[in-house]
Amino acid sequence: MQVLVINCGSSSLKFQLIDSDSENVLAKGLCERIGIDGSSITYKTDEKVTREIDMPTHNEAIKAVIDMLTDDEVGVVSDMSQIKAVGHRVVHGGEFFSKPILLDEDALDKIEKCNDLAPLHNPANIIGIRACMEIMPGIPNVGVFDTAFHQTMEEASFLYAIPRKFYDKYKIRRYGFHGTSHSFVSKRIAEIIGKPYDELKTIVCHLGNGASICAVENGKSVDTSMGLTPLSGVVMGTRSGDIDPGILEVIANFEDVDVKEVTRILNKESGVYGLSKNSSDFRDINKAINEGDEKAIQTMDVYVRAIVRFIGAYVAVMNGVDAIVFTAGVGENNPNIRKMVCDYLSYLGITIDDQANKICGEEVKLSTDSSKVDVYVVPTNEELAICQETVKLVEN
Ligand code: ADP
């Protein structure tokens, strides 16, 4: 079955057309500057094509995607009817959704109710869904939520110790994100190790620009580092991760700015970028470290320590761990960070093979045979996961 996977942002739209049987990506691309002058679509099969197309709204963007996919020269399908379903990444499903669903008006209503919890993402996701419903009538749309996998967390994990009315009235609680990735990677590691998914204790370290750690026990997310918003947890590219909440008022007073501005600083100007005064990209940080840049070295130390704190906490929460898995841009491609994290964990009897750790961007076992805990790299593939979930629902 051919499935169109859509990840819709406020002014951008990423897409992949995936053949679910072979799991091959037939075409992928990106619409940029939707609603802004100079919008364009970049489309990749064997070659890359960029076309400037006027896209005042997401409807034109979806039309441009369909036109490219069915184009005489660069298209990969003869007509739209070959696309059997659309899978949408939806960031926040609140407490409404604990698994992917077929999207209808009722579901859209519920997603809209979560807008306040993800104001940058959910409204854009809804626009993308509506555009597909309009441009591709009759084709089923499936919503796959970043938060859904974590709905198995118990109160002990998801309640914040703030007045209960904030949960009762506004549903302020830990939700967690990257659920599609944590679910995909934790299932895959069970296959690799050859143990039943529902008998395994795994810690998944999704380390990309955004980063989160998840404790998966017996096939369920039991704890995760991101919270109500994707700002909390480990140190990220430009996000601070966990800080003392008292810092907000102190910065606001010193700099004479409001909470909104402090939150923007914590989201956009902090993390690896803020601390290194250099870059949010670990390739630049590695280079700076090799040149002896003290700030870059410190940034790396702070980044690694934050990850280790969560791994330690989750070993305690699950009372043990069978496997630790690294994934996403940094997790898949940065041997230094993997080595530094694992060196901290020798108390758990973890030893890694330095040769294996040189391998990047592919599935690899890092731990030695004598290691008490298995350590792996498993590349994440959120689009494929969304495609698989979509097929499962549509076929049923
Ligand atoms: P996003 O959260 O935006 O999807 P990614 O998962 O692509 O982010 O991760 C981005 C990070 O991954 C950057 O810090 C970058 O340094 C690192 N990264 C990505 N690809 C590579 C690579 N080939 N080599 C080294 N680092 C990489």
Side-chain angles (χ1 to χ4, degrees):
M1 182 189 297
Q2 295 184 6
V3 178
L4 181 60
V5 175
I6 301 270
N7 181 353
C8 205
S10 54
S11 69
S12 71
L13 186 154
K14 286 190 214 150
F15 63 93
Q16 287 196 4
L17 185 70
I18 302 178
D19 177 66
S20 64
D21 300 320
S22 64
E23 300 191 344
N24 283 338
V25 177
L26 306 175
K28 64 177 178 179
L30 169 68
C31 302
E32 289 174 285
R33 299 180 64 85
I34 300 168
I36 309 170
D37 281 349
S39 47
S40 65
I41 178 167
T42 307
Y43 173 86
K44 264 185 3 195
T45 47
D46 293 335
E47 52 183 319
K48 188 164 142 184
V49 191
T50 302
R51 284 185 193 162
E52 310 240 320
I53 296 172
D54 203 20
M55 299 181 218
T57 72
H58 287 73
N59 279 22
E60 288 79 15
I62 296 286
K63 270 189 204 135
V65 171
I66 306 275
D67 287 347
M68 281 296 206
L69 292 170
T70 55
D71 187 85
D72 284 342
E73 260 175 61
V74 295
V76 288
V77 291
S78 52
D79 71 276
M80 210 167 75
S81 67
Q82 280 182 272
I83 301 169
K84 298 295 179 206
V86 187
H88 296 265
R89 176 192 180 206
V90 184
V91 168
H92 220 303
E95 289 188 332
F96 293 113
F97 303 109
S98 55
K99 48 182 190 278
I101 44 136
L102 266 177
L103 292 164
D104 56 14
E105 279 306 317
D106 178 54
L108 281 167
D109 230 38
K110 288 176 175 145
I111 296 171
E112 204 175 340
K113 290 204 169 88
C114 303
N115 278 2
D116 284 339
L117 299 173
L120 296 180
H121 296 98
N122 269 34
N125 298 154
I126 293 172
I127 291 171
I129 296 164
R130 287 216 179 276
C132 287
M133 286 175 164
E134 199 176 316
I135 312 287
M136 309 167 78
I139 294 179
N141 288 278
V142 170
V144 181
F145 300 86
D146 280 22
T147 50
F149 181 60
H150 304 299
Q151 279 297 303
T152 48
M153 285 190 298
E154 294 179 349
E155 283 92 344
S157 300
F158 76 66
L159 284 178
Y160 291 122
I162 56 177
R164 198 168 266 278
K165 69 171 181 194
F166 295 129
Y167 173 62
D168 294 341
K169 266 175 95 172
Y170 310 120
K171 293 288 167 214
I172 292 177
R173 49 160 284 179
R174 180 187 306 282
Y175 289 96
F177 297 86
H178 294 135
T180 310
S181 174
H182 289 302
S183 161
F184 179 85
V185 169
S186 57
K187 277 184 193 137
R188 179 70 197 128
I189 199 68
E191 279 171 16
I192 296 172
I193 294 177
K195 285 195 185 148
Y197 187 42
D198 54 7
E199 289 176 19
L200 211 58
K201 294 175 181 176
T202 305
I203 297 174
V204 180
C205 306
H206 177 112
L207 309 175
N209 255 322
S212 70
I213 316 255
C214 182
V216 186
E217 187 172 7
N218 305 339
K220 290 183 177 140
S221 168
V222 293
D223 217 330
T224 192
S225 59
M226 281 178 169
L228 173 76
T229 73
L231 179 56
S232 73
V234 290
V235 175
M236 300 173 232
T238 63
R239 290 175 234 163
S240 62
D242 284 354
I243 58 165
D244 173 353
I247 289 176
L248 270 91
E249 189 187 356
V250 174
I251 295 179
N253 287 342
F254 273 129
E255 295 271 307
D256 194 20
V257 293
D258 61 12
V259 171
K260 207 170 170 176
E261 171 59 9
V262 181
T263 307
R264 190 195 63 77
I265 294 168
L266 296 178
N267 270 298
K268 305 272 185 199
E269 293 181 4
S270 302
V272 173
Y273 170 77
L275 206 50
S276 69
K277 290 176 102 177
N278 177 333
S279 167
S280 64
D281 192 307
F282 262 106
R283 284 165 281 204
D284 301 327
I285 301 300
N286 277 349
K287 192 160 161 271
I289 288 173
N290 290 335
E291 288 162 0
D293 181 331
E294 276 298 323
K295 284 192 278 296
I297 294 168
Q298 276 175 3
T299 302
M300 181 72 118
D301 290 342
V302 171
Y303 183 88
V304 167
R305 179 72 68 104
I307 295 167
V308 169
R309 281 197 192 111
F310 273 98
I311 293 177
Y314 292 163
V315 171
V317 162
M318 296 193 288
N319 197 18
V321 61
D322 298 305
I324 296 174
V325 197
F326 293 96
T327 192
V330 177
E332 291 164 30
N333 296 296
N334 198 313
N336 277 350
I337 287 175
R338 301 189 305 226
K339 169 84 178 147
M340 285 170 76
V341 169
C342 291
D343 280 351
Y344 263 103
L345 303 173
S346 58
Y347 182 74
L348 295 178
I350 289 178
T351 50
I352 64 164
D353 175 343
D354 290 331
Q355 278 311 107
N357 189 36
K358 285 184 182 156
I359 296 169
C360 287
E362 53 185 271
E363 233 169 65
V364 56
K365 182 179 179 185
L366 302 182
S367 49
T368 60
D369 290 340
S370 61
S371 179
K372 291 211 176 101
V373 178
D374 285 329
V375 183
Y376 277 84
V377 174
V378 173
T380 192
N381 191 337
E382 286 164 292
E383 289 78 13
L384 178 61
I386 292 173
C387 167
Q388 290 168 342
E389 296 290 356
T390 301
V391 170
K392 248 195 261 169
L393 260 181
V394 171
E395 281 184 342
N396 280 339

